[in-house]
Amino acid sequence: MKIALLGYGRMGKVIEQIALQRGHSIVITVDENTSSYDITQADVAIDFSAPMVAVANISNCINNNIPVVSGTTGWLDSYEKMVCLCKEKESAFIYASNFSLGVNIFFELNKVLAKMMSNLSQYNVSLEEIHHTQKLDAPSGTAITLAEGVIENSNYINWKLGNSKKSHEVPIEAKRIENVPGTHDVNYNSEVDAINISHTAHNRNGFALGAVIAAEWLIGKSGVYTMNDVLNIG
Ligand code: NAD
């Protein structure tokens, strides 16, 4: 598989290593210094770039009918626009706020727990995410997916970054600590006890492997997919 890497930072470099180990070749690498490139040289594109350029990168792939896997976070207000464009062009697209297998299992566990807790009004839910200090967006895309999983399965209506005194809001605390690849906690607290579920990434390899597996899976398909489709879970 000939891969275009849109974004060649921390994630792009780990994806390159894993793609090469799996027998693929990297035909294009794009970073902020790249002036032009021909996306049609690639069989598939993997975008781990920056919130302000993700939509342009993804649109360029879809408009040229190149399947695109995006892990960039912080641009989701344009997600529906990308879904419509992909359907119109009959191209192929996967976005995941987190490509690691463990986190996608954790997403499902979170939904089941939210449903079980939904009638227990003595518990208040809160989320915490910790990432390295270079991360541009907050809260993380993964924390937003977790909050959405709680909201879909409970009486909570929306989420809020920081503290919230409103009973229908899921508060998300975002901490930035040097060298942390990604830690997420979902906490249910009552006056008598607490239930916590937690996912800790030890490094970036899990995200990168998931993105390469998603790219392998996407080749030859058209439509908009999620990691649940790739991993056949949920
Ligand atoms: P990074 O800052 O190390 O790398 C970003 C790269 O994007 C840099 O190489 C930069 O030069 C490049 N870039 C800037 N403008 C560009 C453009 N116009 N086109 C293409 N590339 C451009 O960041 P990172 O740690 O590699 O993370 C990248 C993104 O991936 C972030 O949004 C992060 O939140 C997200 N992320 C997602 C997952 C997941 O599993 N979904 C996991 C980790 C990180």
Side-chain angles (χ1 to χ4, degrees):
M1 194 165 81
K2 290 185 276 178
I3 301 176
L5 288 179
L6 309 181
Y8 194 54
R10 284 173 292 263
M11 280 303 302
K13 292 189 173 93
V14 184
I15 291 168
E16 177 180 45
Q17 280 170 21
I18 286 178
L20 294 176
Q21 282 163 16
R22 290 174 74 87
H24 305 303
S25 56
I26 307 299
V27 290
I28 301 170
T29 51
V30 179
D31 66 14
E32 77 250 48
N33 301 315
T34 309
S35 50
S36 72
Y37 60 95
D38 176 7
I39 194 68
T40 63
Q41 309 266 300
D43 300 320
V44 65
I46 303 182
D47 166 78
F48 277 72
S49 55
M52 49 288 197
V53 294
V55 171
N57 287 344
I58 297 164
S59 312
N60 183 35
C61 296
I62 293 175
N63 284 325
N64 285 286
N65 235 278
I66 302 300
V68 55
V69 171
S70 177
T72 307
T73 55
W75 61 273
L76 272 201
D77 44 353
S78 299
Y79 178 74
E80 283 308 320
K81 212 161 87 185
M82 294 300 98
V83 168
C84 290
L85 183 66
C86 183
K87 288 182 179 163
E88 183 197 321
K89 302 285 179 184
E90 296 180 3
S91 195
F93 170 48
I94 293 183
Y95 163 77
S97 60
N98 197 306
F99 276 95
S100 89
L101 171 61
V103 159
N104 283 279
I105 302 283
F106 187 62
F107 285 155
E108 294 307 307
L109 191 63
N110 171 56
K111 290 182 197 166
V112 173
L113 182 60
K115 200 165 211 156
M116 290 170 80
M117 301 303 287
S118 62
N119 290 325
L120 302 177
S121 58
Q122 63 272 42
Y123 288 91
N124 290 318
V125 73
S126 62
L127 304 187
E128 182 183 285
E129 58 102 335
I130 312 174
H131 281 89
H132 53 89
T133 48
Q134 289 81 33
K135 186 164 175 61
L136 296 177
D137 51 322
S140 67
T142 304
I144 294 173
T145 305
L146 287 166
E148 287 169 347
V150 171
I151 290 163
E152 282 161 22
N153 291 285
S154 68
N155 299 321
Y156 286 92
I157 294 171
N158 55 338
W159 57 264
K160 183 174 179 252
L161 180 61
N163 288 329
S164 172
K165 291 200 165 56
K166 295 184 183 148
S167 61
H168 63 271
E169 272 181 348
V170 179
I172 307 177
E173 187 176 359
K175 292 184 178 166
R176 295 293 171 257
I177 299 175
E178 212 53 59
N179 296 328
V180 176
T183 299
H184 293 86
D185 292 320
V186 182
N187 306 304
Y188 288 86
N189 201 35
S190 79
E191 279 190 10
V192 295
D193 61 4
I195 300 172
N196 308 304
I197 57 172
S198 179
H199 179 273
T200 307
H202 296 315
N203 52 49
R204 293 182 172 82
N205 293 15
F207 311 132
L209 176 62
V212 175
I213 288 172
E216 291 166 352
W217 184 91
L218 194 60
I219 293 266
K221 295 190 172 64
S222 69
V224 178
Y225 299 96
T226 68
M227 274 310 268
N228 280 8
D229 300 312
V230 178
L231 300 172
N232 203 13
I233 54 171

